[in-house]
Amino acid sequence: MNIFKLKVNFEEPAKASLELPIAEGESVLDVCLDNGIELQHNCGGVCGCSTCQVYVNVGMDNLQEISDKEEDFIDRAVNPRINSRLGCQCVVIDGDIEVTLPDQNQFLGH
């Protein structure tokens, strides 16, 4: 099993960037949750909503390809961008990645 680097940036100004290990086959959502980083995931991480949206800054080619289902949910996300992916679907296949987590204060119940 290969271990890569996940750099996590935050839109929330008070939060500093972090670098975490991420194993081949792991998702960004799982690594965030395992390390105490709050990333909304209303559907439980099964590609059934858009709340775990992240912006992939570096390493898009190091992730599994985006599915039609994921694209549909990204279209429903808050402030989607061309580099938006769902954290639950950002599964590393080869190499380091860098993501930015949108401000999580925008979600009800936060």
Side-chain angles (χ1 to χ4, degrees):
M1 176 185 316
N2 294 318
I3 305 294
F4 304 106
K5 181 175 60 174
L6 167 62
K7 182 173 182 182
V8 181
N9 303 308
F10 301 90
E11 279 189 347
E12 296 169 67
K15 293 187 175 182
S17 297
L18 299 170
E19 286 190 5
L20 303 166
I22 186 167
E24 181 180 352
E26 273 191 301
S27 74
V28 168
L29 175 63
D30 288 340
V31 171
C32 286
L33 297 177
D34 289 347
N35 287 278
I37 299 170
E38 281 191 45
L39 178 56
Q40 296 294 319
H41 55 289
N42 292 349
C43 72
V46 296
C47 196
C49 70
S50 61
T51 57
C52 68
Q53 173 194 213
V54 299
Y55 305 124
V56 179
N57 305 322
V58 176
M60 188 71 83
D61 291 340
N62 296 332
L63 301 171
Q64 283 183 350
E65 277 193 47
I66 192 168
S67 68
D68 291 340
K69 182 177 180 182
E70 182 182 359
E71 282 184 359
D72 289 344
F73 280 109
I74 287 172
D75 288 342
R76 302 176 200 168
V78 176
N79 300 321
R81 299 179 185 164
I82 191 74
N83 63 333
S84 290
R85 290 289 305 264
L86 299 181
C88 66
Q89 300 300 297
C90 282
V91 175
V92 173
I93 55 172
D94 184 35
D96 299 338
I97 60 171
E98 178 181 333
V99 299
T100 298
L101 273 55
D103 187 340
Q104 298 294 291
N105 292 314
Q106 62 191 333
F107 296 103
L108 294 175
H110 179 75

